[in-house]
Amino acid sequence: MLLEELRALKETAWCNPKYRPFAEAMKNCALSLWDVKDAEARLARFADYFKVAFPETVASGGLLESPLQNIPAMQKEMEKQCGASLGGALWIKLDSHLAVSGSIKARGGIYEVLKLAETVALEKGLLQPGDDYSVFDTPKFREVFSGYSVAVGSTGNLGLSIGIMSAKLGFRVTVHMSADARQWKKDMLRSKGVKVVEYASDYSVAVTKGREEAKNDPTCHFVDDENSQTLFLGYAVAALRLQKQLEEKGIPVDDMHPLHVYLPCGVGGGPGGVAFGLKLVFGDHVKCFFAEPTHAPCMILGMATGKHNEISVADLGIDGITAADGLAVGRASGFVGKFMEPFLSGCYTITDERMYSLLRRLWDTEDIRLEPSALAGMYGAVMTQQHEAFRSFRSTGNTTHLVWATGGSMVPPEELGKYYEKGKD
Ligand SMILES: *Cc1c(COP(=O)(O)O)cnc(C)c1O
């Protein structure tokens, strides 16, 4: 039934039967809150570096963090469209507006490059524990880092993150881009001295090629989007930051006030890391859902069949072609799919047409401009309220629906304008 709907490219939802209460889910878990706090502390150490290297981060104390915002006008519009109440309040987490690289990849991607830089600096005796990290922005450090390279395969945004951060620190960096990657992303990277290799094929091929090339070079660090625990932990830090933002805004998360979080999913590392962090912070009170395009439902397919990275959407005859370039992934990360089995509440799919339509409505109602991928999560509140598979999550009024808006602020205005036009009914 589910597979039939996926094959027919219909919007659908899947409730995860392997979900477990938090205490039970943590029993065999390889990662803990300690790991996430370790990542948070590393980012804090780099705050002095960010303030000098990226002066736009001075206002946030050298941390990359995004606003949490209420979107009541959009909520009203969606309730009108679906003809029912969403059973709570609609909020948005604007990772689209993260400094430096303008997407959720500014969390995991940048974190992994910083961890590499710190490791090299310590190994080379350039750095002592407790030092002011603004030294990373000096010619001496750049000189040392130029002896190392970084490589990554990407549909676009991870490449932007890794490329911008690596080049800034002085690493040599190569981004292997899949056919889905937008031209402006390649142009921007090249303008910053990043080597961009283009492939006519999809994301998996770009990653595989990148991995092969890196294997032959001992000075090369390959950022493995399909398997990296480091990326995953970088994403997870978001949860600790969100906890503070919710407190500041007086939004309770408890037995009476569940938090639903809707995360657009590609290979899975970004949404998986954020969702895992949220479970560590809020336990059973948070329910996490992944959103995927109908043309690239790799995570729902991998998790529902239990085959994880051993099945691809192509095996169902699905083409993987979607306007949501950040989500154009045919095969999910095996690591993330397996890891998330006891933590994830469910997945759903959404058509490109609906993403465009939501993009236009969000622009009109709230003046927020996002790339199509970032709208996949917007439909989550409607799905949990109305889809039969999600009936156990239906809310009577106290749910906080949080849409994770994953990218968009770096998209050139003329590209955004084209997206807006496509959202006309
Ligand atoms: C990468 C990306 C995602 C999904 O992250 P994955 O780690 O690939 O699952 C979602 N939205 C945008 C805009 C992205 O760039």
Side-chain angles (χ1 to χ4, degrees):
M1 177 64 180
L2 176 73
L3 295 190
E4 286 318 305
E5 284 183 334
L6 293 179
R7 202 176 272 129
L9 307 175
K10 282 201 187 128
E11 289 180 340
T12 187
W14 170 75
C15 183
N16 175 16
K18 293 188 177 162
Y19 178 85
R20 290 291 169 267
F22 179 67
E24 202 183 308
M26 283 305 291
K27 272 185 193 149
N28 294 310
C29 186
L31 298 173
S32 70
L33 186 59
W34 186 90
D35 297 296
V36 182
K37 292 211 160 152
D38 177 58
E40 184 190 37
R42 182 165 290 106
L43 290 171
R45 290 198 287 279
F46 273 97
D48 288 329
Y49 164 73
F50 273 91
K51 284 189 262 183
V52 288
F54 299 97
E56 69 268 30
T57 66
V58 169
S60 57
L63 297 183
L64 307 184
E65 198 40 73
S66 71
L68 170 67
Q69 194 177 312
N70 193 203
I71 43 173
M74 181 64 178
Q75 175 167 359
K76 206 174 270 173
E77 175 66 23
M78 285 172 64
E79 288 178 335
K80 199 174 87 192
Q81 289 284 314
C82 75
S85 158
L86 296 184
L90 189 63
W91 291 77
I92 194 164
K93 179 70 174 146
L94 291 169
D95 274 12
S96 47
H97 291 68
L98 280 170
V100 182
S101 77
S103 81
I104 188 170
K105 305 299 191 311
R107 298 186 184 278
I110 287 178
Y111 175 69
E112 180 149 347
V113 177
L114 295 178
K115 188 171 176 200
L116 172 69
E118 189 184 54
T119 305
V120 170
L122 288 168
E123 274 173 15
K124 293 275 157 187
L126 290 169
L127 189 71
Q128 301 303 320
D131 278 358
D132 179 333
Y133 276 36
S134 57
V135 290
F136 280 85
D137 193 46
T138 53
K140 190 167 97 188
F141 274 65
R142 280 191 287 274
E143 164 77 38
V144 170
F145 292 148
S146 71
Y148 295 82
S149 60
V150 177
V152 66
S154 173
T155 61
N157 286 339
L158 185 64
L160 276 187
S161 249
I162 301 286
I164 292 171
M165 195 65 243
S166 301
K168 190 79 175 180
L169 282 160
F171 289 111
R172 286 174 288 122
V173 51
T174 306
V175 176
H176 299 265
M177 287 280 202
S178 64
D180 319 278
R182 295 287 174 268
Q183 189 59 43
W184 67 266
K185 293 181 183 174
K186 299 175 199 168
D187 295 343
M188 180 183 284
L189 282 173
R190 289 191 172 121
S191 77
K192 293 182 191 288
V194 175
K195 184 175 163 200
V196 178
V197 185
E198 298 177 58
Y199 296 90
S201 40
D202 80 351
Y203 163 85
S204 305
V205 174
V207 172
T208 306
K209 295 280 182 192
R211 194 183 281 128
E212 273 169 21
E213 240 188 73
K215 222 168 43 193
N216 302 321
D217 177 359
T219 64
C220 181
H221 178 83
F222 178 66
V223 177
D224 193 337
D225 196 18
E226 291 174 329
N227 299 294
S228 169
Q229 198 165 291
T230 305
L231 275 177
F232 191 80
L233 290 169
Y235 290 119
V237 172
L240 306 177
R241 311 261 184 85
L242 179 71
Q243 183 181 29
K244 289 195 193 109
Q245 290 180 319
L246 288 166
E247 274 168 22
E248 278 161 21
K249 296 198 184 291
I251 303 167
V253 181
D254 55 35
D255 256 349
M256 300 299 297
H257 305 88
L259 173 65
H260 283 187
V261 184
Y262 310 108
L263 297 137
C265 180
V267 71
V274 171
F276 175 62
L278 289 168
K279 294 305 285 185
L280 290 173
V281 172
F282 296 113
D284 294 326
H285 301 136
V286 64
K287 305 284 182 212
C288 300
F289 301 87
F290 288 172
E292 296 186 290
T294 50
H295 280 257
C298 64
M299 187 60 81
I300 194 170
L301 181 62
M303 289 188 80
T305 58
K307 292 188 179 166
H308 300 294
N309 58 336
E310 279 153 28
I311 190 165
S312 95
V313 301
D315 298 336
L316 259 65
I318 300 174
D319 60 12
I321 295 172
T322 166
D325 47 300
L327 313 181
V329 177
R331 189 185 298 276
S333 156
F335 150 62
V336 174
K338 274 178 222 130
F339 189 92
M340 291 308 291
E341 269 180 349
F343 297 109
L344 190 71
S345 290
C347 297
Y348 65 87
T349 60
I350 168 172
T351 63
D352 281 18
E353 293 72 32
R354 199 185 298 280
M355 283 186 241
Y356 280 129
S357 166
L358 290 166
L359 182 150
R360 186 181 176 100
R361 286 173 208 287
L362 185 68
W363 181 321
D364 286 343
T365 56
E366 304 280 356
D367 199 27
I368 297 173
R369 295 159 201 202
L370 304 178
E371 60 184 277
S373 298
L375 274 303
M378 188 62 76
Y379 204 51
V382 176
M383 276 298 205
T384 52
Q385 285 304 93
Q386 300 196 329
H387 200 283
E388 195 46 30
F390 286 162
R391 62 189 172 277
S392 63
F393 303 109
R394 235 164 256 168
S395 163
T396 49
N398 293 336
T399 298
T400 300
H401 297 284
L402 177 58
V403 176
W404 212 277
T406 45
S409 66
M410 288 177 88
V411 181
E414 62 275 19
E415 300 276 328
L416 280 174
K418 284 185 218 157
Y419 292 150
Y420 183 81
E421 282 311 306
K422 289 197 176 148
K424 262 192 200 145
D425 295 310

